Amino acid sequence: SSILYCLLARLSETKVSMAMRQTPLTCSGHTRPVVDLAFSGITPYGYFLISACKDGKPMLRQGDTGDWIGTFLGHKGAVWGATLNNEATKAATAAADFTAKVWDAVTGDEVLTLAHKHIVKSVNFTQDSSCLLTGGNDKIIRIYDLNKPEAEPQEITGHTSAIKKALWCNNDTQILSAADDKTVRLWDRNSTEVVKQLSFDMSVSSMEYIPDGEVLVITYGKTIAFYNALSLDMIKTVDAPASIHSASLHPDKDFFVAGGDDFKLYKFDYGTKEELESYKGHFGPVHCVRFSPDGELYASGSEDGTLRLWQTAVGKTYGLWKCVLPGEFSCLMPNN
Amino acid sequence: MSTLVTLLRLPRGPDPNGRGFDPNSTRFVALCPTTISASTETWTDSVEVGEEQRARSALRESFLRTLIAMTNKQVQFHMYERVEVEARFGASDIDVLNFQVSELQTPIGVQKEALLRCQDVISYSFDL
């Protein structure tokens, strides 16, 4: 019937706009839940995506296609956090084997192992990749100078429960951390003192920092909250239909996406807070979601062990997605 | 009426036989400093390149021959965490990530068949 529709449209020479249905790209390969993911910046070779998985084998993929590039082998436990530097030349991972590791993201070789006293949950590079921030179950934030890896890291104490996420902010002069003690804290890097603190009624499930515009995206319960990253003043909050594990704000700050317990991805208008779309696809809760650096797609990681790439503008030709105009017949249609 | 967006192809999945990071990819070739220090020099230093390559080939060949010589022999493995085990060496995988061994003698018993993670091995020795 869709063929007939196309023929009729052509005959009548009217412009046909077909409502396009989102076709996510499924990246398989992991054998356990995907718990974290991160994009690099835009490099001369495109942009890249790293996924952290409970199978202990974080993977690097081409960001716009999801093509597998390599697997970082070495961790002896679940990998809870993973990140890339802007140029995608270095990767860092945080694992249940009580180590954080730094990798050469071009060769896949392990460059450094940083021993901790408990499960490490979060890793984050400074803009110039010279320092690595780590945080985990021992409640201590550590700053490692990657030019002097033998030196003792600078330690920041204060959290009273396991740290979920620690991120550089404000041009790497400050640090934002979220922990199971239901607080988000802003620290000064030099004094290691708390500058400001937010307290919540429940544990924060995720945190994203947008340097351009200094926006902090926090999720807890069914809420996605947006804060000014410098002042920690609240900008707005939006409630989703289900418990949310992760959210990401589009680089242009017109949309944000969120995913959680009900396996779906939600797309909201940032300005109006209106829920625009919801997409089914994952077979398990969504643990992490991030927009690509160019905003053309967003990636989600799930309990089902897959990563999925979703188009921001459904139907646009980009990466592996092809815009098919009425009257054109494409050979490859995915089975559904 | 809505239509599914079409795909050019599906994303490529992991290679079951290796860990990836193709050394022939554009990015690798452009960004990886060559491990042969001499080959970053000019064409007139090709003698040095040749010498270094010869040394590398000799070392590599020697290592591969030790793997052959080790087959079915009793090998003592000295590993991290003060682990010392002995086993009959079977084979190595292509990336030298794992050694397949038999009759692995451990403090908690003899494992008939086992894989030793090469990254965990500090050194190993055997009698020729």
Side-chain angles (χ1 to χ4, degrees), chain B residues 8-20:
Chain B
L8 294 171
R9 57 168 174 83
L10 297 174
R12 290 184 200 116
D15 171 7
N17 298 318
R19 66 184 179 104

PDB file of all heavy atoms in Angstrom, chain B residues 8-20:
ATOM      1  N   LEU B   8      21.831   2.287   5.199  1.00  0.00           N
ATOM      2  CA  LEU B   8      22.773   1.850   4.167  1.00  0.00           C
ATOM      3  C   LEU B   8      23.282   0.454   4.491  1.00  0.00           C
ATOM      4  O   LEU B   8      23.472  -0.378   3.628  1.00  0.00           O
ATOM      5  CB  LEU B   8      23.951   2.825   4.083  1.00  0.00           C
ATOM      6  CG  LEU B   8      23.607   4.231   3.600  1.00  0.00           C
ATOM      7  CD1 LEU B   8      24.798   5.162   3.760  1.00  0.00           C
ATOM      8  CD2 LEU B   8      23.157   4.209   2.150  1.00  0.00           C
ATOM      9  N   ARG B   9      23.548   0.225   5.756  1.00  0.00           N
ATOM     10  CA  ARG B   9      23.982  -1.079   6.262  1.00  0.00           C
ATOM     11  C   ARG B   9      23.896  -1.003   7.788  1.00  0.00           C
ATOM     12  O   ARG B   9      23.572   0.037   8.342  1.00  0.00           O
ATOM     13  CB  ARG B   9      25.428  -1.383   5.842  1.00  0.00           C
ATOM     14  CG  ARG B   9      26.443  -0.322   6.290  1.00  0.00           C
ATOM     15  CD  ARG B   9      27.875  -0.812   6.118  1.00  0.00           C
ATOM     16  NE  ARG B   9      28.824   0.262   6.424  1.00  0.00           N
ATOM     17  CZ  ARG B   9      29.227   0.572   7.664  1.00  0.00           C
ATOM     18  NH1 ARG B   9      28.747  -0.102   8.709  1.00  0.00           N
ATOM     19  NH2 ARG B   9      30.095   1.552   7.867  1.00  0.00           N
ATOM     20  N   LEU B  10      24.176  -2.128   8.433  1.00  0.00           N
ATOM     21  CA  LEU B  10      24.190  -2.129   9.899  1.00  0.00           C
ATOM     22  C   LEU B  10      25.597  -1.779  10.394  1.00  0.00           C
ATOM     23  O   LEU B  10      26.573  -1.978   9.670  1.00  0.00           O
ATOM     24  CB  LEU B  10      23.778  -3.513  10.407  1.00  0.00           C
ATOM     25  CG  LEU B  10      22.352  -3.936  10.021  1.00  0.00           C
ATOM     26  CD1 LEU B  10      22.088  -5.365  10.449  1.00  0.00           C
ATOM     27  CD2 LEU B  10      21.335  -2.993  10.631  1.00  0.00           C
ATOM     28  N   PRO B  11      25.711  -1.288  11.635  1.00  0.00           N
ATOM     29  CA  PRO B  11      27.048  -1.012  12.165  1.00  0.00           C
ATOM     30  C   PRO B  11      27.882  -2.291  12.230  1.00  0.00           C
ATOM     31  O   PRO B  11      27.357  -3.369  12.503  1.00  0.00           O
ATOM     32  CB  PRO B  11      26.770  -0.500  13.583  1.00  0.00           C
ATOM     33  CG  PRO B  11      25.351  -0.088  13.607  1.00  0.00           C
ATOM     34  CD  PRO B  11      24.651  -0.923  12.600  1.00  0.00           C
ATOM     35  N   ARG B  12      29.189  -2.149  11.946  1.00  0.00           N
ATOM     36  CA  ARG B  12      30.073  -3.322  12.001  1.00  0.00           C
ATOM     37  C   ARG B  12      30.322  -3.702  13.452  1.00  0.00           C
ATOM     38  O   ARG B  12      30.587  -2.847  14.291  1.00  0.00           O
ATOM     39  CB  ARG B  12      31.414  -2.998  11.321  1.00  0.00           C
ATOM     40  CG  ARG B  12      31.257  -2.844   9.840  1.00  0.00           C
ATOM     41  CD  ARG B  12      32.595  -2.618   9.126  1.00  0.00           C
ATOM     42  NE  ARG B  12      32.340  -2.021   7.835  1.00  0.00           N
ATOM     43  CZ  ARG B  12      32.747  -0.802   7.458  1.00  0.00           C
ATOM     44  NH1 ARG B  12      33.473  -0.072   8.279  1.00  0.00           N
ATOM     45  NH2 ARG B  12      32.435  -0.333   6.273  1.00  0.00           N
ATOM     46  N   GLY B  13      30.262  -4.995  13.700  1.00  0.00           N
ATOM     47  CA  GLY B  13      30.448  -5.482  15.060  1.00  0.00           C
ATOM     48  C   GLY B  13      31.893  -5.849  15.319  1.00  0.00           C
ATOM     49  O   GLY B  13      32.739  -5.745  14.434  1.00  0.00           O
ATOM     50  N   PRO B  14      32.203  -6.270  16.559  1.00  0.00           N
ATOM     51  CA  PRO B  14      33.566  -6.630  16.908  1.00  0.00           C
ATOM     52  C   PRO B  14      34.066  -7.840  16.132  1.00  0.00           C
ATOM     53  O   PRO B  14      33.301  -8.701  15.753  1.00  0.00           O
ATOM     54  CB  PRO B  14      33.499  -6.962  18.401  1.00  0.00           C
ATOM     55  CG  PRO B  14      32.139  -6.664  18.851  1.00  0.00           C
ATOM     56  CD  PRO B  14      31.268  -6.445  17.682  1.00  0.00           C
ATOM     57  N   ASP B  15      35.360  -7.884  15.912  1.00  0.00           N
ATOM     58  CA  ASP B  15      36.019  -9.021  15.291  1.00  0.00           C
ATOM     59  C   ASP B  15      36.223 -10.061  16.382  1.00  0.00           C
ATOM     60  O   ASP B  15      36.881  -9.780  17.385  1.00  0.00           O
ATOM     61  CB  ASP B  15      37.364  -8.540  14.724  1.00  0.00           C
ATOM     62  CG  ASP B  15      38.254  -9.665  14.247  1.00  0.00           C
ATOM     63  OD1 ASP B  15      37.800 -10.824  14.215  1.00  0.00           O
ATOM     64  OD2 ASP B  15      39.412  -9.375  13.918  1.00  0.00           O
ATOM     65  N   PRO B  16      35.698 -11.274  16.229  1.00  0.00           N
ATOM     66  CA  PRO B  16      35.834 -12.261  17.305  1.00  0.00           C
ATOM     67  C   PRO B  16      37.270 -12.715  17.534  1.00  0.00           C
ATOM     68  O   PRO B  16      37.583 -13.283  18.569  1.00  0.00           O
ATOM     69  CB  PRO B  16      34.964 -13.426  16.821  1.00  0.00           C
ATOM     70  CG  PRO B  16      34.812 -13.234  15.359  1.00  0.00           C
ATOM     71  CD  PRO B  16      34.947 -11.778  15.071  1.00  0.00           C
ATOM     72  N   ASN B  17      38.146 -12.453  16.555  1.00  0.00           N
ATOM     73  CA  ASN B  17      39.505 -12.979  16.657  1.00  0.00           C
ATOM     74  C   ASN B  17      40.542 -12.003  17.174  1.00  0.00           C
ATOM     75  O   ASN B  17      41.671 -12.381  17.392  1.00  0.00           O
ATOM     76  CB  ASN B  17      39.977 -13.492  15.289  1.00  0.00           C
ATOM     77  CG  ASN B  17      39.106 -14.626  14.811  1.00  0.00           C
ATOM     78  OD1 ASN B  17      38.751 -15.491  15.593  1.00  0.00           O
ATOM     79  ND2 ASN B  17      38.736 -14.589  13.553  1.00  0.00           N
ATOM     80  N   GLY B  18      40.202 -10.768  17.299  1.00  0.00           N
ATOM     81  CA  GLY B  18      41.228  -9.821  17.739  1.00  0.00           C
ATOM     82  C   GLY B  18      40.620  -8.664  18.487  1.00  0.00           C
ATOM     83  O   GLY B  18      39.405  -8.564  18.631  1.00  0.00           O
ATOM     84  N   ARG B  19      41.473  -7.772  18.973  1.00  0.00           N
ATOM     85  CA  ARG B  19      40.938  -6.654  19.742  1.00  0.00           C
ATOM     86  C   ARG B  19      40.772  -5.387  18.921  1.00  0.00           C
ATOM     87  O   ARG B  19      40.413  -4.349  19.443  1.00  0.00           O
ATOM     88  CB  ARG B  19      41.825  -6.382  20.965  1.00  0.00           C
ATOM     89  CG  ARG B  19      43.201  -5.908  20.600  1.00  0.00           C
ATOM     90  CD  ARG B  19      44.090  -5.749  21.821  1.00  0.00           C
ATOM     91  NE  ARG B  19      45.416  -5.315  21.411  1.00  0.00           N
ATOM     92  CZ  ARG B  19      45.865  -4.084  21.550  1.00  0.00           C
ATOM     93  NH1 ARG B  19      45.127  -3.157  22.107  1.00  0.00           N
ATOM     94  NH2 ARG B  19      47.069  -3.759  21.134  1.00  0.00           N
ATOM     95  N   GLY B  20      41.024  -5.470  17.583  1.00  0.00           N
ATOM     96  CA  GLY B  20      40.763  -4.323  16.716  1.00  0.00           C
ATOM     97  C   GLY B  20      41.912  -3.335  16.680  1.00  0.00           C
ATOM     98  O   GLY B  20      43.063  -3.703  16.807  1.00  0.00           O
TER      99      GLY B  20
END
